[in-house]
Amino acid sequence: MAKKYDLISELYKRTCATVSENPLNWQGLLRTASYNFGLRFDEQLLLYAQRPDATAVLPIERWNSNFGRWVNRGSRGIAVFEDENRQRQRLTHYFDISDTHGSRYAKPVPLWQMKPEYESDVAETLENTFGEADDSSTLESIIEECTGIAVNDKIADYLTDFQRLVNSSGIQYLSVDEANNIYIDLVKNSVSYMIISRLGLDTSRFTEESFRNIILFNTPDTLNALGFATSDIAEIGLTEIARTINALEKRNRIITDENHSVYNKIENNERSNDNDKNHLFDGGRLQPAEPDSAGAAGGDAGQIRTDEAEVSEGEPQD
């Protein structure tokens, strides 16, 4: 395990260097992070290095117990550091949902997707969470303005840590004010990009110019200072958006089920009325010469999101 830990540590350093080389690499990391916004930044970075297309990851035991899903034979785990400070030098392994299959105890996985009809609700959620946007012409503009409010409110503590870590990076020769402004702008653009990308909206408003200063964050410490601030603030917004969309999906399922139930009642009533009409119509006919032997013929005729905390009855994998 110690040897693998060293390999993952080296991979982490190389990936830090890669994503700070140019804006496109940084945007690629942000797209992966947007689907896995509940992870720490260091985990998101290693996820990007090993499985950039991952959309929902969990350890094997949580796939087993929470969702009744088994990991496919031969699947390789995504190695991440067990703790942020790496004091114990141990690794944890995640598996993407594409590496799993449902058992007979499988439960729905709450994956959500943005739909056009959700835009007004999502916009309201963001403004309720962060503050009202002046430009509400598009959802993208609302996201950018709300992100700006959120970053301004929460950036102070991150700036303090950032200023202690600028040595030996491309930022060390800048004034404090200049360095802080670059840092804040990058955090704002990065958080906005994560949210807009996760919602499947138009990201063309972001150009290489939006992230050109990423090349200054060319040490693991400064990149972490940027990445953790971005990840933490984006998680707040995306968590609220996910809660809103999941509630809308649940409401729509309930309405669909109710409509289906009403439709069945109408169908049954119409069939009953048709039977009554047939009996009335037949009443004017002459009775057959032979007794009716038919008698009583025809008498015989007649997922909402689960709680993740619930434990599956299935046997967990090793």
Side-chain angles (χ1 to χ4, degrees):
M1 178 61 76
K3 183 178 180 181
K4 184 170 184 180
Y5 183 89
D6 292 340
L7 291 173
I8 295 301
S9 297
E10 182 60 31
L11 175 63
Y12 184 79
K13 292 177 183 177
R14 290 202 312 269
T15 308
C16 284
T18 298
V19 299
S20 63
E21 279 180 355
N22 60 69
L24 292 179
N25 290 349
W26 178 246
Q27 287 173 276
L29 166 62
L30 294 176
R31 284 193 296 274
T32 298
S34 72
Y35 279 90
N36 301 278
F37 58 86
L39 302 183
R40 301 189 312 263
F41 175 70
D42 59 301
E43 294 177 313
Q44 293 168 341
L45 193 79
L46 286 170
L47 193 65
Y48 172 72
Q50 299 169 75
R51 288 287 298 277
D53 59 339
T55 56
V57 300
L58 285 174
I60 190 171
E61 60 272 13
R62 288 192 62 194
W63 281 126
N64 291 173
S65 62
N66 291 14
F67 297 106
R69 299 186 69 86
W70 303 155
V71 172
N72 301 331
R73 185 182 300 276
S75 296
R76 292 186 61 184
I78 304 161
V80 299
F81 301 124
E82 186 177 88
D83 60 288
E84 178 185 334
N85 298 322
R86 287 172 263 173
Q87 294 178 341
R88 288 186 289 181
Q89 295 193 355
R90 295 177 61 179
L91 300 174
T92 294
H93 292 82
Y94 290 130
F95 292 87
D96 186 49
I97 188 172
S98 62
D99 297 324
T100 70
H101 63 276
S103 69
R104 59 178 174 156
Y105 304 106
K107 303 170 186 176
V109 180
L111 298 176
W112 54 273
Q113 183 177 0
M114 179 65 179
K115 296 178 182 178
E117 58 266 31
Y118 298 159
E119 285 197 6
S120 61
D121 293 280
V122 169
E124 182 179 357
T125 293
L126 286 170
E127 291 187 312
N128 289 340
T129 303
F130 297 128
E132 188 172 345
D134 293 328
D135 180 6
S136 57
S137 56
T138 65
L139 181 56
E140 289 90 341
S141 63
I142 292 173
I143 291 170
E144 286 195 279
E145 290 212 21
C146 289
T147 294
I149 297 171
V151 173
N152 289 336
D153 286 345
K154 303 178 184 303
I155 202 64
D157 291 338
Y158 296 104
L159 273 175
T160 301
D161 292 337
F162 166 67
Q163 280 300 327
R164 291 200 296 260
L165 302 169
V166 297
N167 293 335
S168 302
S169 72
I171 305 166
Q172 63 180 324
Y173 302 110
L174 301 177
S175 68
V176 173
D177 287 343
E178 189 176 6
N180 286 353
N181 289 335
I182 287 173
Y183 177 76
I184 292 171
D185 284 343
L186 261 178
V187 172
K188 287 181 179 178
N189 288 337
S190 298
V191 173
S192 296
Y193 186 90
M194 273 185 68
I195 295 176
I196 290 174
S197 176
R198 178 62 183 88
L199 294 179
L201 302 175
D202 183 15
T203 58
S204 63
R205 64 205 297 120
F206 299 97
T207 64
E208 289 193 25
E209 186 69 16
S210 305
F211 302 105
R212 66 183 176 85
N213 287 318
I214 190 64
I215 61 174
L216 300 176
F217 293 76
N218 55 350
T219 64
D221 284 340
T222 53
L223 190 72
N224 275 320
L226 173 65
F228 273 95
T230 297
S231 180
D232 290 350
I233 298 171
E235 182 181 2
I236 298 171
L238 285 169
T239 297
E240 294 302 319
I241 290 171
R243 185 176 290 119
T244 296
I245 292 179
N246 281 327
L248 290 170
E249 291 284 353
K250 179 179 179 180
R251 184 188 69 184
N252 290 342
R253 284 195 297 270
I254 291 173
I255 292 173
T256 299
D257 291 343
E258 287 177 349
N259 289 341
H260 183 68
S261 176
V262 169
Y263 174 79
N264 285 340
K265 289 179 181 178
I266 292 173
E267 281 289 295
N268 291 335
N269 288 338
E270 287 179 350
R271 289 174 183 172
S272 176
N273 290 338
D274 287 344
N275 289 338
D276 291 342
K277 291 176 182 177
N278 288 338
H279 291 316
L280 289 172
F281 184 76
D282 291 342
R285 293 181 181 174
L286 294 174
Q287 294 297 320
E290 297 293 329
D292 185 2
S293 60
D300 293 336
Q303 182 92 242
I304 294 177
R305 179 181 177 185
T306 54
D307 186 351
E308 283 191 13
E310 186 177 350
V311 178
S312 167
E313 298 176 8
E315 300 239 349
Q317 294 173 295
D318 293 330

